[in-house]
Amino acid sequence: MIFSTLDASLFFNGSEAEQNQFVRDLMDGFDKHGLVKLRNHGVSAQSLINTFDVSRQFFNLPPGVKMSVHHKGGASPARGYSPWSNEKTHKLRSSVEIPDAIDAREQFEMGSPTDHIFPTPWLPKSTIPTLRPTLESFYKELGSTCHGLVTAIELGLHLPAGALTVRCRPESSELRLNHYPSMPVAQLADDTITRRIWPHTDTGIFSILFHDGADGLMLEDRQNAGQWLKVESEDVTEMVVIVANTLERWTNGLLRAGVHYVAAPWTSSDVAEDGATGGVAPERFSTVLFHRPSASISVGPLPEFVSPERPAQFEDMTALDYLKAENGRIFY
C-alpha cells in the first residue's frame, strides 16, 4: 500500500513508546503525502452505518424538500443543502475560469450544534426523525478523535501541550454529507468540464473522510506533480485523514495540504480505459469532517515556524475571515 494505515488505538490507549511511534508514523505520512489512513480510531462502525443510512434517506427526498434547507451561497459558512454546481471547487486551484465547470454532486453541511451565529437549518423532525440526532452524535464522536489527533500533531511538531488544541475551542468544525449520483464514465473524463469534485485542498486543519465502499478518491503525487495516486480503502470503517490549509499555514509550509479530487470508481474507469463502449459510475456517498480552529483564532504562521531564514509565507487573519474568503470564491 502506498499510504500508511495506522492503528490509532496505539496513541489513544497505548504505552508511551507506542504513542511516540504513532506520532512519528503520523508525521511521516503527513510529510510524504499529506494523508494517512487510520483504523481503531474511536468512531464506531454503527455510527457510520447510521450516518450513511440517514444520508441516503436525505438525498432520496424530492428536490423541493431538500431545497427547503438550501444553503444560500456566498461567503458565510456553508449550512444546509447545496445542489449540483452550487460549489465551484475548480476555483480553489486555478486562476483560470472554466466556463460551465460542474461539480457532479449534491451535499448537506452542518456546523457545531452549539453554533448559534451560523445555525444549521434542519428539516421538520417528521421528515427524517433520526437525521439530526444521528448527525449530531456522529459530529461529537468525530470531535473526540480530532482532539486526539491534534494532540498527536502537537507532539510531532514539538509544540507545548495545548498549543493547538486550545485553538480548537469553541468548536467550529463542519460535517458534510456528499452524494455523487450515478452517471456515465465518459462524462467524467479528463477532457470534460465535469468532475465529481475538482482537484482542491481544504481550508481546515485536516479533513476526515469516510465513504460507502465506492472508490474514487485521488491524491496528487508529491514526487510527480500532476500525477495522481489512488487512495484505496480496505473497508468502509477506514478513516482517511488529509492535511488541510490551516495546518500548512500554521507550520509556515512545513506540512503541506494534500491536493485531492474524486474520480469515477476504479471498476467503471478501468472498463472504459480498456476500450469498452463505456461504463456507468455508480452513485457514491461520503462524509467529511472539516476540522477547523475556532472562528476568532489566527490562521497565520505560528511563531515557532517563523525565522529570519524562513519568513512568514502567509498573512495573519482569523479562521472565519479565511473561510469566508475561500467560500466567497466557490459558492454561488
Side-chain angles (χ1 to χ4, degrees), residues 11 23 146-156 165:
F11 183 75
V23 169
C146 288
H147 179 81
L149 288 176
V150 173
T151 301
I153 292 168
E154 288 175 349
L155 292 170
T165 55

Side-chain angles (χ1 to χ4, degrees), residues 41-233:
H41 38 64
V43 177
S44 71
Q46 190 60 53
S47 291
L48 286 167
I49 291 170
N50 294 344
T51 297
F52 281 117
D53 179 59
V54 296
S55 178
R56 288 183 175 87
Q57 290 184 59
F58 177 83
F59 290 118
N60 282 333
L61 291 171
V65 177
K66 291 182 286 189
M67 289 297 287
S68 70
V69 289
H70 180 216
H71 171 50
K72 305 304 182 184
S76 295
R79 299 288 186 269
Y81 173 70
S82 297
W84 277 36
S85 292
N86 205 53
E87 186 181 20
K88 304 284 189 181
T89 53
H90 78 276
K91 288 177 172 286
L92 292 173
R93 297 291 297 174
S94 175
S95 59
V96 178
E97 176 69 25
I98 304 174
D100 302 319
I102 293 173
D103 281 48
R105 66 191 165 91
E106 54 182 342
Q107 63 196 46
F108 177 85
E109 199 147 6
M110 65 167 281
S112 169
T114 61
D115 186 350
H116 303 298
I117 298 176
F118 302 104
T120 302
W122 293 101
L123 295 170
K125 185 177 180 179
S126 58
T127 306
I128 305 177
T130 56
L131 178 66
R132 182 172 183 174
T134 295
L135 295 186
E136 289 187 346
S137 175
F138 189 55
Y139 183 100
K140 182 178 180 180
E141 215 171 325
L142 287 168
S144 297
T145 299
C146 288
H147 179 81
L149 288 176
V150 173
T151 301
I153 292 168
E154 288 175 349
L155 292 170
L157 294 174
H158 308 291
L159 293 171
L164 300 184
T165 55
V166 72
R167 289 173 162 81
C168 302
R169 293 288 183 268
E171 293 177 324
S172 293
S173 297
E174 295 171 348
L175 178 64
R176 175 182 291 178
L177 307 178
N178 288 315
H179 174 227
Y180 305 88
S182 175
M183 62 188 306
V185 172
Q187 292 185 22
L188 298 171
D190 290 343
D191 59 350
T192 69
I193 60 170
T194 303
R195 300 287 184 278
R196 285 192 145 173
I197 187 168
W198 286 75
H200 68 286
T201 55
D202 296 328
T203 58
I205 304 168
F206 52 75
S207 300
I208 286 179
L209 295 83
F210 294 97
H211 66 79
D212 65 343
D215 285 318
L217 181 61
M218 307 287 285
L219 186 82
E220 188 170 31
D221 185 351
R222 293 184 171 176
Q223 279 66 53
N224 299 283
Q227 300 299 308
W228 299 90
L229 304 171
K230 296 178 180 179
V231 183
E232 299 176 293
S233 297

